[in-house]
Each structure stands twice: as C-alpha cells, then as structure tokens.
Amino acid sequence: MKKLSHYDKAGRARMVDVSAKAVTKRVAIAHAFVRIKRAVLKKLPQNPKGDPLEVARIAGISAAKRTSDLIPMCHPLMLSYVDVEMKIEPKGVRIRAKVMTTGPTGVEMEALTAASVAALTIYDMTKALDKGIEIQDVYLLAKTGGKSANFTRKAPTK
C-alpha cells in the first residue's frame, strides 16, 4: 500500500512539495446527486430566490477557484477551466463538475469541491420547500494527467 503523502516522517500534516513534479495538463471530473421530491423539482423554475441551478452552477465554479482556502493542504492552483453541469432527473438533480489546469498537481479536490458546493447551493435555495433534501454520491468520476495512473470510475453493477 502507498503511504499518505500529506504527512512528514514525524506524522505531522504537511503540504506536499510539488516543485519537482512535471507540469502537465490535468483534468478531473466529479459527481454529486441532490435527491429532491418531485413536487419540489417542479417548483424550481418559480423559485423567488432565482434559478437555483444557475446559482448553484456559479457557486460551484467559484468554489473550485477557492478550494485551497477551504482545504488546508491543497495548493492554490491557476485553473484554466471549470464547468459545472446539472441535469434534472425524476428523483433529483445530477451534478457533474469538470476542472482543468496545466501544472504540477492535480485538480481532483477542485472538482469535488465544485460538485459539493453546487449541491449545497441547491439545498440552500430549496430548503424552504423541503428540509428532507439529501446530498448523495459525491465522488470522483475521472482524472487524467500527472505521474499517477489515470483514473476512471467503473460503472456500478446492478
């Protein structure tokens, strides 16, 4: 098993030194699902706070750019692209966040943060209609670039 890179020899948390790592194009895609009752989904277009999905999209993009402010050992990165897509489904809203950079470290945390904050924003904008909304299935779908192997989540077996 690999050792965790965010700890020094004494076991203290540390920021990883990426200065010797190759600068490569790096892409990460993350997922989240917001389970919402059908009646609440139907009311999304009439939300008096504005379009929850558009506000959540912008919140996700902003969050990706601020990830290093939220997660202590993340490096501040110059992101070259962030996109957050949402799709209304019968049981809720599916979120997909894609983040890209050219640099010495990956953007998995930025993609996961974008998907998570977009989901939280949907909850915030719709909680007056239902406090039972659930944020589910936050995970990395794929990542490319860098020294470690590319990763693509296998489709769940049913």
Side-chain angles (χ1 to χ4, degrees), residues 50-68:
D51 178 356
L53 302 186
E54 182 61 12
V55 174
R57 187 182 72 78
I58 294 167
I61 292 168
S62 296
K65 296 171 12 179
R66 307 272 325 245
T67 300
S68 66

Side-chain angles (χ1 to χ4, degrees), residues 7-37:
Y7 295 94
D8 66 15
K9 291 178 182 173
R12 294 177 305 206
R14 69 177 176 103
M15 181 180 264
V16 175
D17 179 3
V18 297
S19 60
K21 291 175 82 177
V23 172
T24 63
K25 180 179 179 181
R26 296 162 188 268
V27 180
I29 303 169
H31 170 276
F33 188 77
V34 184
R35 183 172 295 280
I36 302 173
K37 292 178 184 174

Side-chain angles (χ1 to χ4, degrees), residues 4-108:
L4 296 173
S5 60
H6 283 88
Y7 295 94
D8 66 15
K9 291 178 182 173
R12 294 177 305 206
R14 69 177 176 103
M15 181 180 264
V16 175
D17 179 3
V18 297
S19 60
K21 291 175 82 177
V23 172
T24 63
K25 180 179 179 181
R26 296 162 188 268
V27 180
I29 303 169
H31 170 276
F33 188 77
V34 184
R35 183 172 295 280
I36 302 173
K37 292 178 184 174
R38 191 177 300 256
V40 175
L41 283 171
K42 288 180 182 179
K43 292 184 179 183
L44 289 180
Q46 296 96 32
N47 192 306
K49 294 181 180 181
D51 178 356
L53 302 186
E54 182 61 12
V55 174
R57 187 182 72 78
I58 294 167
I61 292 168
S62 296
K65 296 171 12 179
R66 307 272 325 245
T67 300
S68 66
D69 293 337
L70 301 169
I71 301 174
M73 300 304 163
C74 281
H75 294 82
L77 300 177
M78 180 63 74
L79 302 181
S80 51
Y81 179 78
V82 180
D83 187 33
V84 178
E85 297 175 346
M86 276 162 269
K87 180 180 176 189
I88 296 175
E89 297 181 356
K91 294 186 178 183
V93 179
R94 190 162 309 278
I95 300 167
R96 184 178 177 274
K98 181 176 184 179
V99 180
M100 297 184 341
T101 193
T102 303
T105 190
V107 287
E108 296 97 308

